[in-house]
Amino acid sequence: MSAIFEQVRGIAADLLGVPPDRITSQSSPEDLESWDSVQHLNITLALEQQFQLQFDPEEIDQMRTIGQIATLLEQKLARHQVWKQ
Amino acid sequence: MELRKQIDHLLAQGDSQAAFRALAELWRCESGPAAAGFVNSRFQTLRPHLALTPYRLAILRSFTVEPLVPLLRAAAFTSGIDLSIHLGDFNAYAQEILEEASPLYQFAPDLVILAVQTSDLAPELCHDYTAHGPPDHQAAIQRVDANFRDWVRAFRGRSSAHLLLHNLESNPVPSHGVLDCQSVMGQSAAIHQINQQLSRLAAESKGVYILDYDALIARHGRLHWRDQRKWLTVRLPIAAAHLLDMTQEWLRFLHPLTGKIAKALVVDLDNTLWGGVIGEDGLAGIQLGLDYPGAAYQALQRAMLDLARRGILLAVCSKNNSEDAMEALSSHPGMLLRPPDFAALRINWTDKAENLRQIAVELNIGVDSLAFLDDNPVERQQVREQLPGVTVIELPPDPACYAQALRDCPVFERLSLSEEDLKRRQFYAIRQQQALFERSCSTSEDFYRSLLQEAEVALLRPATLARVAQLTQKTNQFNLTTRRYSEQQIADLAARPGWQVLSLRVKDRYVDNGLVGVAITEATDGVCRIDTLLLSCRVIGRTLETAFLACLVEKASGRGFRQVEGWFLPTKKNAPARDFYSRHGFQLVSQDGEASRWVIDLASHSVACPAWIRLIAPRGDEE
């Protein structure tokens, strides 16, 4: 598990009110009851605040599982790194 | 994650106070949407066990504020405010205000925030600006003004809650580009005019306040504040990076409205008020002045002066040699603050929590009314743990940010200033000056002389009756017999043959202390008996009791009496008066339990008025 995944999991645990160890990369709104559209927005905003970036609306639509969110975030951060170099 | 586990552990143990402190620490370190989720869920568990201030807030809006709500609740909670929040429907603000039976009024709010965007209220001054000409622009200004006036009037007719209006934000880039500012009445000027009218409306209305939304956005950068993608997809115009700034601005109003305010700011000296350590670097070595890095400390001092002028008391709490620190405070050319600016000074090696307790007592305010500013995280932590009521201001590592950290602190916000607020500084400055004088005098005699006291003894008059009776009822410390009299009783005593009621009025170089002493005497068979003699605690320790007694003895002597006598009746509180008679040459003649009777023989003894007090005795014709 990557460090990014751990951070995403921590944010999801805080917002969805479940212990971090109950969240896997497959966790999605289907199996986590509290993951509604309001919490989806909150997760997005929490990530944007913490990692100082902004998601495109298309990207937000792609975030269907915790694993997908972590992968997307890793890609975005990597692109940031490239630009910075 | 570790802190979260610790919090859940404390909650499981039922240690509510420690859990609350740990939640506050989590919020301080990680404030944001995620931590807000954690804090608010634990808050539900803690709620019944903490003494929080309940407050009902309604937010009427024309945009998505839902993600702001948990942030605001978490921040308020860690400040001791338990918020219940009602959100109005999108763009339903006008109906909610105008209709008496609306959910808004059913909610019975303490505060209503009206947050409406320029684009909703005045599209012709916003995105449609270039489609309209000056007459339409003027009409829009008038219409918006009239709308707000109608809403405030309707609201006041239905609710006594406070009302906080967001003013209107300008476009980041004017629709006409640089051309906008080439005319007097451009787009930005039009928004500015509306905002001025709003401030006027607030000034004319009771309990109506303006949140300067335009300035808030400008402060953070108009382009940076806005997230156009979130606006177009979920109607949230504020970027994730600035959600906290919005809630922080709301808190600036919630703090004064809920009374969560600091009345005094207590500051450290070394590396806080100046750079460096005065005890090591010396007066010439500390950093303080117009240039970097000393300018950062001047900026902080300037921010403190602004608070002082708002009626907030300043105090010093520093671990230092008092002489070194006082020299810097009094004579360093870079200091903007001077000793008289501080209502209390604690410069010693005692721990800070104890000093803060003493400062609160000295200023006669609660510990909860103190805010504490110190660059040392260890000191901050100690104060947080030992005095949870004190507002401890978190300082960033860079001194250049100190002034901003202080200005950001919501406990110093006020929504109005009273006469007392403006005078408070002066009053404490005088007191402080007095105390400094006392310290600078090498002997107490020098100090007494420096006070230039004038003591005026006068017979009871109708105008002084109320105060004389009040002093007999309230005075505990310097009071020989602690006999309590009502106004009627005092008047009766004064009318009895042989009885006199005398008052003492004291002026000094600083202030007129007013009526601060009372003596009641009864004369029979050539003996003057002191029934009551008291001094207000305001003037104890300045030898005024000697002057007062000298006056009584002198009068008795002049009227041919043989003796003056009096009782000392001890209480739990009047120890300061215990040795009064023995100090002035009276002889103990009898005892009755704890009570003692004292006499002075006028043929052989007298009592001299201290040379440093100008005594004005009642004129003979008054008697």
Side-chain angles (χ1 to χ4, degrees), chain B residues 56-61 84-112 155 158-159 161:
Chain B
R56 301 177 72 77
L57 168 66
I59 305 176
L60 307 180
R61 43 51 186 280
S84 304
I85 298 180
H86 161 84
L87 290 188
D89 286 335
F90 276 91
N91 286 321
Y93 49 88
Q95 293 103 287
E96 286 226 48
I97 291 170
L98 296 172
E99 284 169 22
E100 200 158 1
S102 71
L104 171 69
Y105 299 115
Q106 284 168 25
F107 175 72
D110 296 307
L111 168 67
V112 177
F155 183 78
R158 309 198 191 319
S159 170

Side-chain angles (χ1 to χ4, degrees), chain B residues 71-199:
Chain B
L71 294 172
L72 181 65
R73 291 196 71 209
F77 165 55
T78 55
S79 303
I81 306 165
D82 180 3
L83 277 187
S84 304
I85 298 180
H86 161 84
L87 290 188
D89 286 335
F90 276 91
N91 286 321
Y93 49 88
Q95 293 103 287
E96 286 226 48
I97 291 170
L98 296 172
E99 284 169 22
E100 200 158 1
S102 71
L104 171 69
Y105 299 115
Q106 284 168 25
F107 175 72
D110 296 307
L111 168 67
V112 177
I113 295 176
L114 179 59
V116 185
Q117 300 188 103
T118 312
S119 56
D120 299 299
L121 279 176
E124 59 277 63
L125 296 177
C126 191
H127 46 276
D128 285 344
Y129 185 75
T130 55
H132 297 270
D136 290 346
H137 298 150
Q138 275 307 317
I141 294 171
Q142 301 312 322
R143 187 189 68 234
V144 172
D145 185 44
N147 282 343
F148 274 106
R149 285 182 181 274
D150 288 346
W151 296 333
V152 168
R153 199 180 310 118
F155 183 78
R156 268 290 153 268
R158 309 198 191 319
S159 170
S160 58
H162 296 282
L163 180 62
L164 178 58
L165 307 172
H166 281 209
N167 71 12
L168 302 194
E169 84 269 27
S170 313
N171 270 19
V173 180
S175 304
H176 269 312
V178 295
L179 189 59
D180 192 62
C181 224
Q182 312 314 316
S183 80
V184 184
M185 205 51 234
Q187 191 176 12
S188 300
I191 300 296
H192 186 63
Q193 195 181 329
I194 289 177
N195 288 345
Q196 277 186 317
Q197 286 169 347
L198 275 177
S199 291

Side-chain angles (χ1 to χ4, degrees), chain B residues 34-78:
Chain B
F38 185 89
V39 169
N40 290 332
S41 72
R42 273 44 175 195
F43 168 34
Q44 291 307 332
T45 320
L46 270 178
R47 209 175 187 175
H49 309 291
L50 297 172
L52 302 164
T53 305
Y55 203 72
R56 301 177 72 77
L57 168 66
I59 305 176
L60 307 180
R61 43 51 186 280
S62 71
F63 55 91
T64 299
V65 297
E66 279 75 354
L68 293 161
V69 170
L71 294 172
L72 181 65
R73 291 196 71 209
F77 165 55
T78 55

Side-chain angles (χ1 to χ4, degrees), chain B residues 360-568:
Chain B
V361 170
E362 184 177 337
L363 300 182
N364 204 14
I365 57 179
V367 171
D368 291 5
S369 296
L370 296 180
F372 177 61
L373 188 79
D374 195 312
D375 68 297
N376 186 339
V378 178
E379 302 284 15
R380 296 203 294 265
Q381 195 54 34
Q382 192 232 354
V383 170
R384 272 193 192 107
E385 274 163 25
Q386 296 195 23
L387 298 174
V390 173
T391 302
V392 178
I393 300 165
E394 200 53 22
L395 279 181
D398 182 0
C401 304
Y402 285 2
Q404 194 55 45
L406 186 65
R407 291 184 192 278
D408 281 343
C409 198
V411 295
F412 301 119
E413 294 295 350
R414 300 290 187 269
L415 294 171
S416 63
L417 288 184
S418 67
E419 283 289 308
E420 286 73 31
D421 289 327
L422 299 172
K423 277 193 201 144
R424 189 171 300 120
R425 186 167 167 243
Q426 210 185 348
F427 174 73
Y428 279 92
I430 289 166
R431 261 185 41 161
Q432 190 58 26
Q433 219 177 337
Q434 233 168 330
L436 277 178
F437 225 121
E438 188 166 357
R439 249 170 277 161
S440 72
C441 295
S442 49
T443 66
S444 8
E445 209 167 293
D446 285 346
F447 169 61
Y448 299 143
R449 274 182 212 290
S450 73
L451 284 174
L452 308 177
Q453 299 184 95
E454 191 180 289
E456 187 189 352
V457 179
L459 283 163
L460 184 76
R461 283 190 289 265
T464 54
L465 175 62
R467 172 66 178 161
V468 165
Q470 186 195 42
L471 278 172
T472 69
Q473 287 153 27
K474 277 177 35 182
T475 309
N476 295 318
Q477 295 184 69
F478 200 95
N479 195 338
L480 291 166
T481 52
T482 322
R483 292 185 175 125
R484 313 297 195 190
Y485 293 119
S486 68
E487 286 184 36
Q488 189 54 53
Q489 287 170 318
I490 293 281
D492 291 347
L493 285 180
R496 281 193 209 168
W499 285 70
Q500 284 193 335
V501 177
L502 298 155
S503 66
L504 176 75
R505 180 179 206 94
V506 175
K507 284 182 203 165
D508 58 42
R509 65 182 297 159
Y510 303 104
V511 281
D512 181 351
N513 294 281
L515 213 162
V516 287
V518 174
I520 301 174
T521 59
E522 178 206 2
T524 41
D525 306 331
V527 178
C528 173
R529 294 189 181 82
I530 297 174
D531 170 88
T532 292
L533 195 147
L534 63 83
L535 276 186
S536 159
C537 57
R538 235 190 275 179
V539 294
I540 292 182
R542 301 159 99 192
T543 71
L544 286 160
E545 66 278 17
T546 305
F548 206 179
L549 183 64
C551 177
L552 296 181
V553 170
E554 164 79 35
K555 268 163 55 83
S557 204
R559 289 160 73 190
F561 291 120
R562 282 177 290 118
Q563 289 180 329
V564 174
E565 69 159 60
W567 284 91
F568 174 70

Side-chain angles (χ1 to χ4, degrees), chain B residues 565-587:
Chain B
E565 69 159 60
W567 284 91
F568 174 70
L569 310 179
T571 66
K572 275 182 190 163
K573 291 181 178 164
N574 71 350
R578 181 176 299 279
D579 60 351
F580 175 70
Y581 284 124
S582 62
R583 270 200 292 134
H584 293 101
F586 281 60
Q587 301 298 316

Side-chain angles (χ1 to χ4, degrees), chain A residues 5 11-12 18-19 24 27 51 74-75 85:
Chain A
F5 176 82
I11 287 170
V18 294
T24 68
S27 296
F51 294 96
E74 276 166 359
Q75 289 166 356
Q85 286 161 4

Side-chain angles (χ1 to χ4, degrees), chain B residues 214-247:
Chain B
D214 190 49
L216 172 67
I217 299 183
R219 193 150 84 225
H220 295 280
R222 293 185 195 283
L223 290 169
H224 201 248
W225 179 270
R226 200 171 171 88
D227 182 344
Q228 193 62 12
R229 286 174 287 194
K230 290 274 183 319
W231 167 243
L232 294 174
T233 51
V234 293
R235 296 283 138 182
L236 175 66
I238 307 171
H242 296 297
L243 295 172
L244 272 172
D245 297 318
M246 183 69 252
T247 54

